[in-house]
């Protein structure tokens, strides 16, 4: 299956625009985007029903939006989650669509809990306690924030549910790429691929990159996915990972086979541990991400992007007035500076521990 992003020209450099209507069975949809902003992301899973999620931001940061995601075990049901002292029921959130695989993911807007704690604070790590009222694989907290260091950047949140099988995500640029960072974070539940010290073949997604100047595909990672945010615990109820707090864009090793080789955090404006040359180079007019997951049971539900350039427009709505929990179909992204938006059809699979 192929999903395609088309781009509309905007005022400067490299722009990206309208996202084609997504497939019914493999899609990540735009939830929100903010100018002069960045993302703070953390995940948690474990054998205990209680844990915490951290937000690491600098002094003077102001929260724009905060989302809490919770995913069921592959064949289990979703349930209540208590976060920051408030209990959230699935009916008060949004179930991510198309919700056709056996895992279910729900998202809640938790801005009212996170914002009063962080705004005006001295910065550092802010910890929010949580507990699960059902047998779940874990939670992910995504916070959009602004401070002096985020001026000129853009924070983009996409979520949904990707199907099993192979996909090609094609992104056309309205003008040639000139440079800039694109920090991409993927989240996956019901995912396992070894522990922190040993690369063991497991439930992983392979991601390759192809561009207009490099038409032969280049391996980004052979092991996206895992149970990193449950301290590599190999059991149901702990199979979750997201690129965020404590992770690095310095890996993955493109030949990795397990949990030690990939943090699910990538900079597509740079290289990886095997080759420092950027995946995107000056003059590129398109980018393709080729994805495949042989185990056929990962639940990839989130993509976050933090860029060093501005988004000009999202679905004809100013980015500082993003769409709410009911995501419109199709989304549109206009990016200034580099021209990379989302992985609208990115797909992933995996086997379970």
């Amino acid at each position: 299956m192929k999903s395609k992003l088309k781009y509309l020209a905007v005022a400067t450099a490299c722009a990206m625009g309208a996202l084609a209507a997504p497939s019914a069975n493999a899609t990540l949809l735009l939830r929100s985007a903010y100018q002069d902003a960045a993302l703070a992301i953390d995940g948690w899973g474990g054998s205990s029903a209680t844990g915490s999620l951290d937000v690491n931001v600098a002094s003077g940061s102001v929260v724009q939006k905060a989302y809490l995601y919770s995913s069921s075990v592959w064949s289990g049901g979703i349930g209540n989650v208590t976060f920051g002292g408030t209990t959230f029921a699935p009916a008060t959130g949004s179930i991510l669509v198309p919700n056709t695989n056996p895992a279910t993911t729900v998202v809640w807007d938790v801005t009212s809990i996170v914002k009063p704690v962080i705004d005006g604070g001295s910065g550092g790590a802010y910890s929010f306690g949580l507990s699960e009222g059902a047998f779940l694989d874990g939670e992910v907290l995504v916070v959009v924030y602004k401070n002096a260091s985020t001026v000129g950047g853009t924070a983009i949140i996409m979520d949904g549910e990707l199907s099993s099988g192979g996909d090609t995500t094609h992104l056309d640029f309205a003008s040639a790429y000139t440079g800039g960072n694109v920090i991409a974070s993927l989240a996956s539940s019901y995912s396992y691929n070894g522990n922190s010290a040993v690369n063991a073949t497991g439930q992983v997604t392979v991601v390759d990159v192809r561009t207009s100047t490099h038409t032969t595909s280049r391996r980004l990672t052979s092991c996206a996915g895992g149970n990193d945010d449950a301290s590599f615990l190999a059991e149901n109820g702990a199979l979750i990972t997201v690129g965020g707090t404590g992770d690095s864009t310095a890996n993955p090793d493109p030949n990795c086979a397990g949990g030690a080789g990939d943090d699910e955090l990538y900079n597509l404006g740079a290289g990886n541990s095997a080759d420092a040359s950027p995946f995107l180079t000056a003059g590129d007019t398109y980018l393709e991400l080729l994805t495949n997951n042989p185990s056929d049971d990962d639940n990839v539900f989130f993509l976050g992007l933090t860029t060093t350039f501005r988004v000009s427009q999202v679905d004809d709505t100013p980015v500082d007035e993003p769409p709410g929990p009911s995501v419109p179909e199709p989304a549109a992204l206009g990016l200034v500076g580099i021209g990379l938006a989302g992985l609208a059809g990115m797909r992933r699979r995996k086997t379970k521990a």
Side-chain angles (χ1 to χ4, degrees), residues 81-104:
V81 174
T82 299
F83 173 79
T86 299
T87 298
F88 295 88
T92 65
S94 298
I95 301 296
L96 300 188
V97 295
N99 196 29
T100 55
N101 74 32
T104 298

Short mmCIF file of all heavy atoms in Angstrom, two decimals, residues 81-104:
data_model
loop_
_atom_site.label_atom_id
_atom_site.label_comp_id
_atom_site.label_asym_id
_atom_site.label_seq_id
_atom_site.Cartn_x
_atom_site.Cartn_y
_atom_site.Cartn_z
N VAL A 81 -7.51 4.87 33.46
CA VAL A 81 -6.15 5.25 33.86
C VAL A 81 -6.26 6.47 34.76
O VAL A 81 -6.96 7.44 34.43
CB VAL A 81 -5.26 5.57 32.64
CG1 VAL A 81 -3.91 6.10 33.10
CG2 VAL A 81 -5.08 4.34 31.76
N THR A 82 -5.59 6.42 35.90
CA THR A 82 -5.53 7.58 36.79
C THR A 82 -4.21 8.28 36.58
O THR A 82 -3.14 7.68 36.69
CB THR A 82 -5.68 7.15 38.25
OG1 THR A 82 -6.95 6.52 38.42
CG2 THR A 82 -5.61 8.36 39.18
N PHE A 83 -4.27 9.57 36.24
CA PHE A 83 -3.08 10.35 35.91
C PHE A 83 -3.12 11.65 36.69
O PHE A 83 -4.11 12.39 36.63
CB PHE A 83 -3.05 10.64 34.41
CG PHE A 83 -1.94 11.57 33.99
CD1 PHE A 83 -0.65 11.11 33.83
CD2 PHE A 83 -2.20 12.92 33.74
CE1 PHE A 83 0.37 11.96 33.44
CE2 PHE A 83 -1.19 13.78 33.35
CZ PHE A 83 0.10 13.30 33.20
N GLY A 84 -2.07 11.92 37.44
CA GLY A 84 -2.01 13.15 38.21
C GLY A 84 -3.16 13.31 39.18
O GLY A 84 -3.59 14.43 39.46
N GLY A 85 -3.68 12.18 39.69
CA GLY A 85 -4.77 12.20 40.66
C GLY A 85 -6.16 12.21 40.06
O GLY A 85 -7.14 12.16 40.81
N THR A 86 -6.30 12.27 38.76
CA THR A 86 -7.60 12.27 38.10
C THR A 86 -7.77 10.97 37.31
O THR A 86 -6.87 10.55 36.58
CB THR A 86 -7.74 13.46 37.13
OG1 THR A 86 -7.63 14.67 37.87
CG2 THR A 86 -9.07 13.43 36.41
N THR A 87 -8.94 10.32 37.47
CA THR A 87 -9.22 9.07 36.77
C THR A 87 -9.91 9.36 35.44
O THR A 87 -10.90 10.08 35.39
CB THR A 87 -10.08 8.14 37.62
OG1 THR A 87 -9.36 7.81 38.82
CG2 THR A 87 -10.40 6.85 36.87
N PHE A 88 -9.36 8.77 34.37
CA PHE A 88 -9.90 8.94 33.03
C PHE A 88 -10.46 7.61 32.54
O PHE A 88 -9.77 6.59 32.56
CB PHE A 88 -8.81 9.41 32.07
CG PHE A 88 -8.29 10.79 32.38
CD1 PHE A 88 -7.23 10.96 33.25
CD2 PHE A 88 -8.87 11.90 31.80
CE1 PHE A 88 -6.74 12.23 33.54
CE2 PHE A 88 -8.40 13.17 32.09
CZ PHE A 88 -7.34 13.34 32.96
N ALA A 89 -11.72 7.63 32.12
CA ALA A 89 -12.36 6.46 31.54
C ALA A 89 -12.25 6.52 30.03
O ALA A 89 -12.20 7.60 29.44
CB ALA A 89 -13.84 6.41 31.95
N PRO A 90 -12.20 5.37 29.34
CA PRO A 90 -12.10 5.37 27.88
C PRO A 90 -13.18 6.22 27.21
O PRO A 90 -12.92 6.87 26.20
CB PRO A 90 -12.24 3.90 27.51
CG PRO A 90 -11.70 3.18 28.71
CD PRO A 90 -12.12 3.99 29.89
N ALA A 91 -14.38 6.24 27.79
CA ALA A 91 -15.48 6.99 27.18
C ALA A 91 -15.25 8.49 27.18
O ALA A 91 -15.88 9.22 26.41
CB ALA A 91 -16.78 6.67 27.90
N THR A 92 -14.34 8.96 28.03
CA THR A 92 -14.07 10.40 28.09
C THR A 92 -12.92 10.81 27.16
O THR A 92 -12.60 12.00 27.07
CB THR A 92 -13.73 10.83 29.52
OG1 THR A 92 -12.50 10.21 29.93
CG2 THR A 92 -14.84 10.45 30.48
N GLY A 93 -12.30 9.84 26.50
CA GLY A 93 -11.23 10.12 25.56
C GLY A 93 -11.66 9.80 24.14
O GLY A 93 -12.85 9.71 23.83
N SER A 94 -10.68 9.64 23.26
CA SER A 94 -10.92 9.30 21.86
C SER A 94 -10.19 8.01 21.53
O SER A 94 -8.98 7.90 21.75
CB SER A 94 -10.43 10.41 20.93
OG SER A 94 -11.12 11.61 21.15
N ILE A 95 -10.91 7.01 21.01
CA ILE A 95 -10.29 5.78 20.55
C ILE A 95 -9.65 6.06 19.20
O ILE A 95 -10.28 6.59 18.29
CB ILE A 95 -11.33 4.66 20.41
CG1 ILE A 95 -12.02 4.39 21.76
CG2 ILE A 95 -10.67 3.39 19.87
CD1 ILE A 95 -11.10 3.89 22.84
N LEU A 96 -8.37 5.71 19.06
CA LEU A 96 -7.68 5.96 17.81
C LEU A 96 -8.20 5.03 16.72
O LEU A 96 -8.43 3.84 16.95
CB LEU A 96 -6.17 5.76 17.99
CG LEU A 96 -5.48 6.67 19.01
CD1 LEU A 96 -3.96 6.49 18.92
CD2 LEU A 96 -5.85 8.13 18.83
N VAL A 97 -8.41 5.60 15.55
CA VAL A 97 -8.97 4.86 14.42
C VAL A 97 -7.84 4.37 13.51
O VAL A 97 -6.74 4.93 13.53
CB VAL A 97 -9.94 5.76 13.63
CG1 VAL A 97 -11.13 6.12 14.48
CG2 VAL A 97 -9.25 7.02 13.11
N PRO A 98 -8.09 3.30 12.73
CA PRO A 98 -9.39 2.64 12.52
C PRO A 98 -9.75 1.60 13.58
O PRO A 98 -10.83 1.04 13.54
CB PRO A 98 -9.22 1.98 11.15
CG PRO A 98 -7.75 1.70 11.06
CD PRO A 98 -7.07 2.83 11.75
N ASN A 99 -8.86 1.31 14.52
CA ASN A 99 -9.11 0.36 15.60
C ASN A 99 -9.54 -1.00 15.06
O ASN A 99 -10.51 -1.60 15.53
CB ASN A 99 -10.17 0.90 16.58
CG ASN A 99 -10.18 0.14 17.90
OD1 ASN A 99 -9.15 -0.39 18.32
ND2 ASN A 99 -11.33 0.09 18.54
N THR A 100 -8.81 -1.49 14.08
CA THR A 100 -9.12 -2.78 13.48
C THR A 100 -8.23 -3.91 13.98
O THR A 100 -8.58 -5.07 13.83
CB THR A 100 -9.02 -2.70 11.95
OG1 THR A 100 -7.72 -2.24 11.59
CG2 THR A 100 -10.07 -1.77 11.39
N ASN A 101 -7.06 -3.59 14.54
CA ASN A 101 -6.24 -4.67 15.09
C ASN A 101 -6.70 -4.98 16.52
O ASN A 101 -7.49 -4.23 17.10
CB ASN A 101 -4.74 -4.34 14.98
CG ASN A 101 -4.26 -3.31 15.98
OD1 ASN A 101 -4.76 -3.22 17.11
ND2 ASN A 101 -3.25 -2.52 15.60
N PRO A 102 -6.25 -6.09 17.11
CA PRO A 102 -6.76 -6.48 18.42
C PRO A 102 -6.36 -5.55 19.57
O PRO A 102 -6.89 -5.69 20.67
CB PRO A 102 -6.16 -7.88 18.63
CG PRO A 102 -5.92 -8.39 17.25
CD PRO A 102 -5.49 -7.19 16.47
N ALA A 103 -5.42 -4.65 19.35
CA ALA A 103 -5.08 -3.67 20.38
C ALA A 103 -5.94 -2.42 20.20
O ALA A 103 -6.34 -2.07 19.10
CB ALA A 103 -3.61 -3.29 20.29
N THR A 104 -6.22 -1.77 21.32
CA THR A 104 -7.00 -0.52 21.30
C THR A 104 -6.19 0.55 22.02
O THR A 104 -5.63 0.30 23.08
CB THR A 104 -8.35 -0.70 22.00
OG1 THR A 104 -9.11 -1.68 21.29
CG2 THR A 104 -9.14 0.61 22.03
#
